[in-house]
Amino acid sequence: MARPSSLCSYFFTIVTFLVVVLISTTCEADQSKLPKKKHVASLFIFGDSILDAGNNNYINTTTLDQANFWPYGETFFKYPTGRFSDGRLVSDFMAEYANLPLIPPFLQPGIINRGYYYSGVNFASAGAGALVETFQGDVISLKTQLSYYKKVESWLREKLGNDEGRMRISRGVYLFSIGSNDYYAKVLLTKGFTMLNSFSESNHVGMVIGNLTTVIKEIYKTGGRKFAFMNVPDLGCLPVMRIMNAEKNGFKEGKAACCGTGQFRGVLSCGGKRPVKEFELCENPNEYVYWDSIHLTEMANKQLAREMWNGARNSHVIGPYNLKKLFQIRYANFLPYGEIFFKYPTGRFSDGRINSRFYRVTIDSNIFAIHKPRITHGVNFASSGAGALTETHQGLVIDLKTQLSNFKIVEEQLKKKPGDAAAKTLVSNAVYLIDGGGNDYFVALTTNSSVLQSLYSKKQYVDMVIGNLTTIIKPTWPSPATNASDGTNTIAAIAATSQPTQAMTTIARKQHKQ
């Protein structure tokens, strides 16, 4: 069966390791070309009928879990594609906004030969749940979707090389819509769920969350860092469950579905290919929130996708990042960055050179290419988005602690060549330029940071930032006795750039007043 998920009481969650974003809308209605820009992050899609772009067309299942017949697809594609809508899905609009082609279903024949994997893959299957037992045998379970993803991940590493493949995986966005079928099946069905019905509701929820967590961890192990979740909706808001959606945001009908039969057209009979053959079809799906008794119209999908993409951060709808930010976060390797001096993007967050270039510090673009003699001139360990706190944008950046470990790698290589004495001279005579802290305050003031808002006062938070920075400096600055033989310190000079951000300035001013 195509299982429920809806616009009603959606929660949309973006997880960038420890950063969580909630996007919500209430019950009231509120293959073409490869990417033109190589920097665009790939989109990997997991879930159920809300995101299934046609995978169930290629498995042996029932028409309850398929939408490859008229009138599905009539509005945009003009033919059925397997999507449970009259047109495009939320994920299709996400791809469009991210300058990606339509993300194809994994099981679609021939996509691997046309290079579609570079843009991402859709693994979703109508009727699937986080539990393997949910409509088992009729759908592609989340566990199997994960196994498909691992095949794609291996293919990317093989075709692009391990480093570029890893980068593609880490920059990708992982979109999920899963879980509603696990609860829907338990509530409305008993066949095949005898074992699961023996568990309490809290245990059942724990199993669903546990399975989803396992999948996320597996993707994380491969390098995935940017996760987005469309949470389980209020099942009572669906037409099949007697929905009572309000009419707003341009929709004339928020109660009944466009296609189906019975009260509110709440019987899943759209297309006449399912057990109930009778169905009615509205004249204009764009006036409806719901296409069939469970799924949204293209117009509703578009409105939801637009809010997810551009929604104001830290509102009741989304925070701290919207999807646009999630796709763009932490990269400057595309035009117009670098256009003035380099004439191409280098990864520097500027139109040209950054301040360290004017200090005559040579920047090595790859700190691990330590066989190059250029490391004797200096190395740049900085990472956009990093802070003094490890938790700041954790998983998306090279935190200050890791930057220190990278410095130690370079230091050890210098001891091997040109040797201990020369390395000691290089390290002691070097200038250490540090620009850190701005992101710690920016994240604290622009996100729903429990660290700042719940656990620590502003003064304690500032002390944590300064304390971490001090801790990083101390290991490379030993006591005078350490180098008493030659009278030198390991670090002869440190230049710490101030944080010009209004966020830090505001905190600092308030801090002085306390």
Side-chain angles (χ1 to χ4, degrees):
M1 182 180 291
R3 330 298 178 178
S5 233
S6 77
L7 187 64
C8 113
S9 196
Y10 264 133
F11 279 88
F12 183 77
T13 306
I14 300 173
V15 179
T16 57
F17 193 63
L18 293 181
V19 181
V20 179
V21 181
L22 296 179
I23 299 177
S24 67
T25 54
T26 66
C27 271
E28 298 180 351
D30 319 74
Q31 270 239 305
S32 53
K33 303 174 183 178
L34 290 174
K36 296 178 181 178
K37 300 180 181 179
K38 293 183 179 180
H39 71 272
V40 173
S42 303
L43 178 59
F44 299 99
I45 302 164
F46 301 79
D48 51 29
S49 57
I50 295 303
L51 298 177
D52 185 355
N55 278 309
N56 280 15
N57 295 349
Y58 308 103
I59 66 174
N60 184 21
T61 187
T62 72
T63 55
L64 290 172
D65 288 312
Q66 290 178 324
N68 54 352
F69 45 85
W70 185 86
Y72 288 93
E74 66 167 11
T75 299
F76 180 79
F77 299 100
K78 308 304 180 185
Y79 61 89
T81 64
R83 291 168 172 83
F84 280 80
S85 180
D86 60 308
R88 291 166 289 183
L89 307 175
V90 166
S91 51
D92 296 321
F93 289 106
M94 288 295 119
E96 177 185 333
Y97 301 155
N99 195 38
L100 293 168
L102 290 175
I103 305 301
F106 175 78
L107 294 181
Q108 179 178 313
I111 64 168
I112 188 172
N113 298 324
R114 298 200 293 273
Y116 277 103
Y117 283 179
Y118 295 117
S119 301
V121 186
N122 188 320
F123 306 101
S125 169
L131 302 178
V132 174
E133 294 82 2
T134 298
F135 304 114
Q136 191 170 14
D138 290 332
V139 302
I140 305 168
S141 67
L142 186 60
K143 182 178 180 180
T144 302
Q145 292 179 38
L146 174 65
S147 70
Y148 290 164
Y149 162 75
K150 289 185 175 180
K151 291 181 180 180
V152 172
E153 184 251 343
S154 297
W155 185 90
L156 287 171
R157 290 180 184 270
E158 178 182 347
K159 294 296 181 181
L160 299 175
N162 190 60
D163 291 341
E164 179 62 27
R166 183 181 63 225
M167 185 65 69
R168 178 81 60 165
I169 293 299
S170 67
R171 292 181 179 179
V173 173
Y174 297 80
L175 177 62
F176 286 77
S177 172
I178 199 77
S180 61
N181 291 311
D182 299 300
Y183 304 120
Y184 179 72
K186 180 176 174 64
V187 170
L188 296 185
L189 304 178
T190 56
K191 183 179 180 180
F193 264 71
T194 304
M195 183 272 293
L196 291 179
N197 284 331
S198 64
F199 293 99
S200 66
E201 290 183 1
S202 60
N203 286 339
H204 187 82
V205 171
M207 292 168 61
V208 172
I209 299 299
N211 278 23
L212 179 56
T213 301
T214 298
V215 170
I216 295 168
K217 286 182 176 180
E218 287 297 311
I219 296 174
Y220 187 89
K221 289 179 182 178
T222 69
R225 290 297 183 270
K226 297 187 285 187
F227 298 88
F229 300 93
M230 299 174 69
N231 204 358
V232 176
D234 183 348
L235 299 183
C237 288
L238 301 169
V240 71
M241 303 286 282
R242 298 182 62 193
I243 71 160
M244 294 298 290
N245 277 343
E247 302 170 12
K248 66 178 185 178
N249 292 339
F251 297 109
K252 293 183 178 180
E253 180 55 70
K255 298 179 181 179
C258 173
C259 187
T261 191
Q263 188 178 18
F264 303 118
R265 296 194 182 115
V267 176
L268 188 64
S269 63
C270 185
K273 300 288 186 179
R274 299 180 176 120
V276 177
K277 306 301 181 184
E278 299 78 16
F279 72 96
E280 301 172 354
L281 181 65
C282 69
E283 292 184 4
N284 186 0
N286 289 338
E287 296 178 348
Y288 285 70
V289 174
Y290 289 93
W291 164 246
D292 62 19
S293 59
I294 295 172
H295 308 96
L296 303 179
T297 60
E298 177 181 270
M299 184 60 69
N301 278 325
K302 184 176 183 178
Q303 288 201 18
L304 179 58
R306 185 184 299 138
E307 187 66 32
M308 290 159 57
W309 183 260
N310 283 322
R313 292 179 289 170
N314 289 323
S315 66
H316 68 285
V317 177
I318 183 173
Y321 301 123
N322 54 33
L323 260 290
K324 182 178 181 180
K325 180 66 174 178
L326 192 63
F327 269 92
Q328 295 176 341
I329 194 168
R330 305 295 152 237
Y331 303 112
N333 57 347
F334 50 89
L335 288 173
Y337 289 100
E339 66 175 359
I340 299 298
F341 181 78
F342 299 99
K343 309 304 180 186
Y344 61 89
T346 64
R348 294 168 172 84
F349 279 80
S350 175
D351 59 327
R353 293 169 289 181
I354 54 180
N355 56 9
S356 57
R357 290 292 297 182
F358 297 102
Y359 293 135
R360 301 177 66 83
V361 178
T362 300
I363 296 176
D364 194 326
S365 61
N366 183 356
I367 62 172
F368 294 106
I370 49 184
H371 61 281
K372 297 181 181 180
R374 291 176 60 192
I375 68 169
T376 59
H377 301 151
V379 181
N380 188 317
F381 305 99
S383 171
S384 174
L389 302 178
T390 302
E391 294 80 5
T392 297
H393 296 136
Q394 189 170 16
L396 293 175
V397 300
I398 305 171
D399 61 74
L400 196 58
K401 183 177 180 181
T402 304
Q403 292 178 38
L404 173 63
S405 67
N406 291 338
F407 164 76
K408 290 181 177 180
I409 292 175
V410 172
E411 186 181 27
E412 289 301 314
Q413 289 300 314
L414 287 171
K415 290 179 180 179
K416 295 178 181 178
K417 184 179 181 180
D420 283 345
K424 191 172 186 178
T425 300
L426 281 170
V427 171
S428 64
N429 289 338
V431 174
Y432 295 79
L433 178 63
I434 300 174
D435 175 16
N439 289 306
D440 299 301
Y441 301 119
F442 178 77
V443 167
L445 292 182
T446 59
T447 68
N448 298 319
S449 173
S450 59
V451 176
L452 177 63
Q453 298 176 2
S454 302
L455 301 179
Y456 302 100
S457 67
K458 290 184 176 67
K459 182 181 186 304
Q460 289 173 323
Y461 190 82
V462 171
D463 288 345
M464 287 168 58
V465 173
I466 295 175
N468 275 26
L469 181 59
T470 303
T471 301
I472 293 298
I473 294 173
K474 280 184 176 179
T476 53
W477 197 329
S479 63
T482 304
N483 294 309
S485 59
D486 59 8
T488 63
N489 285 321
T490 303
I491 297 182
I494 294 181
T497 65
S498 62
Q499 300 301 320
T501 63
Q502 183 63 39
M504 195 217 63
T505 303
T506 300
I507 281 187
R509 287 175 178 171
K510 291 181 178 179
Q511 187 58 44
H512 283 302
K513 293 179 181 179
Q514 291 183 352

